[in-house]
Amino acid sequence: MSELKRGKAEYGGFLPLELNPGTEYFAGYENRLCRFNTVKAALDFLIKRLEAEKIYIPYYYCPSTGEAIRKTGINILFYHIDENLTPVDIPDNKGSIVLLVDYFGVCGQRVEKIARSFRKAEVILDRAHAFYEKPLMEAHIYNVYSAKKFFGVPDGAYLIGKNVLPNQEIPVEAYSYTEYLITAYEEGTDAAYAKKKEVDQMLAANYNCMSKLSLGLLKNVDYNRVREQREDNYKTLFEAFKKVNELVLPEKCAAYQFPLLLSDAGNRIKKVLIADKIFVSTLWSGEDLKEKGNTFEINMMNNAVFLPIDQRYDYEDMKYIVKKINDSEERI
């Protein structure tokens, strides 16, 4: 008779948080996947591992992520994007990294085609806004995803690629920074916003692997439901604004947010929405962008309105947002 081994560290007592033993969205890539607490941590790990001389990043990019890249010590060179959210004139050189962004999760095949066009440079495909896009599994391409931007978890990011080996670190404990999620669930996100920003700053300063709690929560997400709801909400806004939106967008997309570009009106519309507790992001306003951004990039910074389309909302919510915009003083 084989020896029986203890299966749990403890038996009995009260029940903890109820989480089912499900699977992660990227479970099929387990042998080519690393888990981190933030996208910044994933980028820090990857850039140092690649040992390149320089990296090309867009002017129109998250300034705090750009600063995190700068701290790795790599030489940073900037590039512009055009009206199609695609890069302009990036050289393909050995010993360099090109960071491409799937902006707002709406670039899809466009950015994949550009990634594949590089033959000498290593490519990092930043898909923090495009959780549902399939990873490109090619030797010189690395995919970075944010779970925290798409789901209610305290931390979480993935690095996936053909040349990625799993990290073996033990998941960290997140109990010290999860209170804001409970507050947001019971009282709304506005009540927890200040604490959430504190947590974001703490995570940005403490690179680590994904927490045990986030891993457990991500095994419980109904990924199909979330994707379908985001697609439905996106479609409602796409149809409502397709005649006035200055961005060329796909008709179907499980995006992070819906980008609505209205030159000379967007900034004022943002203020109307925020006053009505329809919170819209500011993407982005870094100093490099302000000083050297091209006309399109500056217009995006000032007048792009990023509307919420996540799984908390439905068709009626989207129609309310549309009505609020149409009834504003900047009627469109």
Side-chain angles (χ1 to χ4, degrees), residues 190-202:
D190 195 23
Y193 182 75
K195 187 63 178 178
K196 187 261 185 189
K197 296 303 291 183
E198 290 179 14
V199 170
D200 287 347
Q201 293 174 4
M202 182 277 294

Side-chain angles (χ1 to χ4, degrees), residues 40 43-57 65-77 95 97 207:
K40 294 181 179 70
L43 291 174
D44 181 83
F45 170 86
L46 179 57
I47 291 169
K48 290 177 179 177
R49 177 179 176 273
L50 292 177
E51 298 182 334
E53 298 174 0
K54 55 191 174 184
I55 185 170
Y56 294 88
I57 70 173
T65 304
E67 183 59 29
I69 292 172
R70 194 185 306 275
K71 289 179 180 178
T72 66
I74 194 170
N75 183 30
I76 294 179
L77 300 172
I97 300 170
Y207 296 161

Side-chain angles (χ1 to χ4, degrees), residues 195-246:
K195 187 63 178 178
K196 187 261 185 189
K197 296 303 291 183
E198 290 179 14
V199 170
D200 287 347
Q201 293 174 4
M202 182 277 294
L203 292 173
N206 295 276
Y207 296 161
N208 217 318
C209 54
M210 186 184 295
S211 70
K212 185 176 181 179
L213 178 59
S214 286
L215 182 57
L217 290 170
L218 288 168
K219 290 180 178 180
N220 281 258
V221 172
D222 185 341
Y223 290 104
N224 288 334
R225 183 195 72 81
V226 171
R227 180 174 191 160
E228 290 171 1
Q229 191 63 64
R230 283 181 176 270
E231 288 177 344
D232 289 348
N233 292 340
Y234 175 96
K235 182 178 180 181
T236 301
L237 297 183
F238 177 86
E239 292 296 330
F241 298 120
K242 63 182 179 181
K243 293 182 179 180
V244 295
N245 197 348
E246 296 166 29

Side-chain angles (χ1 to χ4, degrees), residues 144-190:
V144 179
Y145 296 87
S146 172
K148 193 171 184 292
K149 287 186 180 297
F150 276 75
F151 312 104
V153 293
D155 59 75
Y158 294 97
L159 167 62
I160 304 174
K162 186 175 182 179
N163 288 337
V164 172
L165 296 178
N167 51 348
Q168 301 298 319
E169 294 186 47
I170 300 173
V172 298
E173 295 178 342
Y175 63 86
S176 64
Y177 56 88
T178 57
E179 180 183 354
Y180 81 92
L181 287 172
I182 305 300
T183 302
Y185 182 80
E186 295 183 339
E187 301 179 32
T189 55
D190 195 23

Side-chain angles (χ1 to χ4, degrees), residues 18-33:
E18 190 76 23
L19 295 177
N20 297 315
T23 57
E24 294 168 273
Y25 186 73
F26 294 116
Y29 298 92
E30 186 64 37
N31 293 329
R32 289 292 180 265
L33 174 152

